[in-house]
Amino acid sequence: MSNLLDLAGIGAGPFNLAVAALMRDKSLSHRFFEAKAEFSWHPGLMLPGAMMQTSYLKDLVTPVDPSNPCSFLMYLVENKRFYDFLHAEQRTVTRREFADYLSWAARRLDSIQMNSRVQSVVDNGEYFELDVHGPNGREQVHTKNLCVAAGKKPNIPECSRSLLSDNCFHALEIALRNPDVSGKRVAVIGGGQTGAEVVINLLNKHWGRPQKVTWVSRRSNYLPLDETPFTNDWFTPEYVDVFRQLSPQRREEVIAEQKLASDGISPDTLKELYQLFYRLVHLEKNSECVSLMPNRELVGMSHRCDYQLQLENRLLGSADGTEWIDADIVILCTGLCEALPPCMAPLQEQIARDREGRLLLDDAFAAKLSGDESGRRLYFLGTGRSSHGIAEPQLSLSAWRAAQVVNDLHGSAEYDNQQTSNFMKWITPQAEQVAVA
Ligand SMILES: Cc1cc2nc3c(=O)[nH]c(=O)nc-3n(C[C@H](O)[C@H](O)[C@H](O)COP(=O)(O)OP(=O)(O)OC[C@H]3O[C@@H](n4cnc5c(N)ncnc54)[C@H](O)[C@@H]3O)c2cc1C
């Protein structure tokens, strides 16, 4: 078949953009399909002042291919702001600037086809058939290999599912909804970075002046993201390699133990929040406008003219800690969860999973298709936390991850992805264990 692609990609968020950037000058044919008409990166959470939690050097390409024309440094140079950027001495950049960089990179890559939603994927045993709804109507695309990086879906607490509305919604869309909270009692559920950013913007009257903001967190406190040097060593290719050697049970334990390395609130945001609360409560004498409730899990919800939220405080033990609060608006900052896009439904049964239903991905992020001996590759990016560890849903390793895919696809080391190990000795070498025994 003459028009059979070597690789098609579903989605053109940062993870597939990295693959596209590294495939740019390679001989294999490739196209990436993106449903949005114009590039945007989490536009619903593009809130004033939001900062990246990852260094701009961990961009789409630099860690594996620093001379690639899609690097962040190239973006600065081409936009004629290299020196100003340098003199601003920023450790991280705003989310807005990073999104602009991603958008700039997407425009330079001919393989990205915007306004093209992959409606379904069928496996005919020799290649994948994609039904793509693009700007010029429907197109059947045939590809030998497929790279799925279609993002995650909002995690909605069970008790809120039937109550979703204009006044009870997930924060992922808040900047697009632009809710009017003037004079309203607002409950923010979730004590991570998104919850923190939403609370800051509520109290800064970005959506009007709320009567009261109640911030509920299941965690024991408003806990910081750990971005210290040794913790950052968990976000390295070498550590992923170590993680891959752990048993499934140890992997789950390690992921739980490392939660705050990827899921806490940036220390700068915490400082900003505390200073804001200090000003409101002590200087503006407005202690009624904010209530912080850590240790509480949202366990029940009902709606009459407003919302009644049942919270369980487990600090003192079990059942005695039940409280109810009322709110006019409920904003769920309850995170995102891994999910395959609906277009992959026809392949669901064929994709190998473990007993808990988690994807079984190999070192190159490829899943096994049951009964398939053809050697075709089906990559999943951003959905392998249980197989590759806490760095998987993050940008930190997106260039390295993309290089793993590109090398695997070519069957050769197109990019030198080998890292020399540093001073961290994560595991006991087998030989030494035997000697001691
Ligand atoms: C607000 C926010 C801030 C974040 N900040 C950081 C950070 O600072 N540092 C960090 O390491 N991580 C961060 N993350 C986590 C992670 O890096 C991002 O979520 C990242 O965008 C994931 O990239 P992705 O390409 O997998 O998915 P997405 O960026 O979600 O992109 C997926 C794309 O696929 C498209 N798509 C879906 N289905 C189809 C289909 N059927 N056909 C065609 N296209 C489709 C979607 O339109 C979307 O554009 C952040 C996450 C969020 C939500």
Side-chain angles (χ1 to χ4, degrees):
M1 179 177 282
S2 60
N3 58 353
L4 181 68
L5 289 173
D6 291 308
L7 180 71
I10 302 181
F15 291 178
N16 258 347
L17 278 182
V19 180
L22 295 186
M23 292 282 288
R24 199 169 179 261
D25 293 328
K26 302 289 167 197
S27 55
L28 297 182
S29 57
H30 56 283
R31 284 170 77 190
F32 290 80
F33 300 99
E34 168 55 52
K36 289 178 195 152
E38 279 182 20
F39 185 88
S40 58
W41 185 53
H42 298 311
L45 273 170
M46 203 50 78
L47 299 173
M51 299 298 291
M52 293 298 296
Q53 291 190 310
T54 308
S55 162
Y56 52 86
L57 287 178
K58 291 178 169 177
D59 62 13
L60 298 173
V61 292
T62 297
V64 294
D65 188 19
S67 60
N68 189 298
C70 288
S71 71
F72 188 80
L73 289 182
M74 180 64 98
Y75 160 80
L76 291 179
V77 171
E78 217 178 86
N79 284 286
K80 309 224 176 291
R81 58 175 189 260
F82 178 81
Y83 293 106
D84 291 355
F85 180 84
L86 211 56
H87 300 165
E89 294 189 20
Q90 308 172 89
R91 195 173 56 87
T92 52
V93 300
T94 61
R95 216 181 276 156
R96 193 168 294 284
E97 184 169 19
F98 201 75
D100 190 57
Y101 154 67
L102 293 174
S103 170
W104 165 88
R107 286 195 302 275
R108 320 189 99 206
L109 293 164
D110 295 338
S111 59
I112 308 291
Q113 188 174 315
M114 300 302 292
N115 203 4
S116 300
R117 177 175 292 281
V118 179
Q119 249 355 82
S120 74
V121 179
V122 174
D123 172 29
N124 75 4
E126 284 179 42
Y127 50 83
F128 300 105
E129 296 176 2
L130 275 54
D131 179 20
V132 182
H133 289 206
N136 303 318
R138 282 175 78 161
E139 186 189 1
Q140 291 292 315
V141 174
H142 298 155
T143 181
K144 187 168 174 222
N145 306 291
L146 187 60
C147 189
V148 183
K152 295 185 177 184
K153 69 171 190 191
N155 177 43
I156 310 282
E158 181 81 45
C159 60
S160 323
R161 283 189 197 152
S162 61
L163 298 175
L164 292 179
S165 72
D166 283 348
N167 290 324
C168 172
F169 55 86
H170 194 277
L172 194 60
E173 295 165 9
I174 192 163
L176 304 176
R177 287 176 173 269
N178 243 339
D180 180 5
V181 302
S182 309
K184 305 272 173 57
R185 297 158 301 166
V186 184
V188 177
I189 313 297
Q193 180 68 21
T194 300
E197 288 175 10
V198 167
V199 168
I200 287 177
N201 278 284
L202 284 167
L203 294 175
N204 281 334
K205 308 181 198 79
H206 182 64
W207 298 291
R209 186 195 183 104
Q211 183 192 123
K212 178 169 186 156
V213 175
T214 303
W215 188 14
V216 175
S217 175
R218 190 163 55 178
R219 293 179 190 166
S220 58
N221 202 335
Y222 300 96
L223 296 172
L225 176 77
D226 183 349
E227 28 183 25
T228 47
F230 294 100
T231 297
N232 283 339
D233 265 4
W234 284 334
F235 296 83
T236 58
E238 190 199 0
Y239 188 77
V240 175
D241 193 38
V242 169
F243 184 86
R244 301 270 305 147
Q245 298 172 46
L246 307 182
S247 66
Q249 190 195 332
R250 278 300 293 142
R251 286 183 185 174
E252 288 310 305
E253 289 164 2
V254 166
I255 287 170
E257 189 190 310
Q258 296 175 343
K259 188 158 181 60
L260 289 173
S262 62
D263 219 6
I265 304 172
S266 295
D268 287 345
T269 310
L270 284 174
K271 208 180 277 179
E272 184 181 349
L273 273 164
Y274 208 96
Q275 289 170 358
L276 183 58
F277 299 144
Y278 181 88
R279 176 164 58 79
L280 288 168
V281 173
H282 295 299
L283 307 185
E284 296 179 15
K285 309 285 181 208
N286 194 0
S287 59
E288 291 305 303
C289 75
V290 60
S291 170
L292 302 186
M293 303 181 84
N295 286 308
R296 270 73 160 195
E297 180 167 2
L298 175 69
V299 293
M301 230 178 123
S302 60
H303 180 242
R304 285 188 286 275
C305 19
D306 55 6
Y307 295 95
Q308 297 75 47
L309 278 64
Q310 184 185 357
L311 308 177
E312 204 69 57
N313 184 341
R314 302 229 160 82
L315 185 60
L316 294 174
S318 56
D320 329 356
T322 301
E323 282 156 286
W324 290 86
I325 58 167
D326 297 328
D328 305 303
I329 295 182
V330 180
I331 304 175
L332 301 166
C333 303
T334 39
L336 302 174
C337 50
E338 291 182 0
L340 298 192
C343 62
M344 294 300 290
L347 268 76
Q348 283 282 10
E349 299 299 312
Q350 277 174 267
I351 300 170
R353 293 172 181 272
D354 68 8
R355 271 197 227 136
E356 273 70 41
R358 296 173 296 222
L359 289 175
L360 286 169
L361 302 180
D362 66 16
D363 289 344
F365 301 87
K368 192 165 169 42
L369 278 176
S370 60
D372 180 63
E373 301 301 330
S374 67
R376 284 170 302 145
R377 309 291 276 153
L378 173 55
Y379 305 102
F380 288 101
L381 309 185
T383 42
R385 204 166 73 131
S386 59
S387 59
H388 286 76
I390 54 164
E392 178 48 11
Q394 304 286 326
L395 294 169
S396 294
L397 292 181
S398 43
W400 172 81
R401 190 192 296 118
Q404 291 286 95
V405 170
V406 175
N407 287 353
D408 182 67
L409 202 58
H410 284 78
S412 56
E414 300 295 306
Y415 294 97
D416 180 359
N417 234 2
Q418 298 296 316
Q419 304 289 312
T420 47
S421 56
N422 67 2
F423 26 78
M424 303 292 274
K425 303 291 171 232
W426 297 106
I427 42 180
T428 307
Q430 216 58 36
E432 286 178 27
Q433 279 187 35
V434 173
V436 172

